[in-house]
C-alpha cells in the first residue's frame, strides 16, 4: 500500500511539473534552496503523518547563509491528530 501510494504521488508530481517532448518527458526547473540573509540561519522541515495510527515522522535541517550545515534532527511524534498539528510540533522540535 505504501509503495503504491508513493508511486502514485511521484507520477502526480512528474505530470504536474513536466513538459512532454515527443516520447520524452522533461521535468521543469524546480525552485532552488534560497539561503537566508547574512548572519541568519534557516530551518527546513519535512514530515509524514499516519492518520489511523496518529503518529508522524519528521526531519529537520538547519543551514547557514553560505549553505553550511548547522544541525539536523529526525524523529517520531505520537498523538498527532492533523498535518497542521504535525507541522507545528516539528517547528517546535526544531527550536528546542
Amino acid at each position: 500500500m505504501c509503495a503504491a501510494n508513493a508511486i502514485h504521488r511521484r507520477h502526480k508530481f512528474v505530470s504536474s511539473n513536466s513538459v512532454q517532448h515527443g516520447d520524452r518527458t522533461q521535468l521543469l526547473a524546480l525552485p532552488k534552496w534560497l539561503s537566508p540573509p547574512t548572519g541568519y540561519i534557516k530551518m527546513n522541515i519535512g514530515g509524514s503523518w499516519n492518520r489511523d495510527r496518529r503518529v508522524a515522522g519528521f526531519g529537520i535541517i538547519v543551514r547557514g547563509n553560505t549553505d553550511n550545515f548547522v544541525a539536523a534532527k529526525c524523529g517520531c511524534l505520537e498523538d498527532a491528530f492533523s498535518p497542521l498539528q504535525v507541522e507545528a510540533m516539528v517547528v517546535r522540535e526544531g527550536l528546542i
Side-chain angles (χ1 to χ4, degrees), residues 28-84:
L28 300 173
L30 299 176
K32 184 179 181 255
W33 181 82
L34 300 174
S35 62
T38 302
Y40 287 83
I41 59 174
K42 184 175 190 177
M43 177 174 67
N44 293 100
I45 64 170
S48 61
W49 174 59
N50 184 307
R51 177 192 314 243
D52 298 330
R53 294 178 48 212
R54 294 189 319 218
V55 295
F58 69 89
I60 302 168
I61 185 163
V62 180
R63 294 184 277 186
N65 65 296
T66 60
D67 198 19
N68 57 310
F69 173 83
V70 175
K73 185 176 185 178
C74 65
C76 297
L77 302 168
E78 296 182 1
D79 297 322
F81 293 94
S82 74
L84 183 60

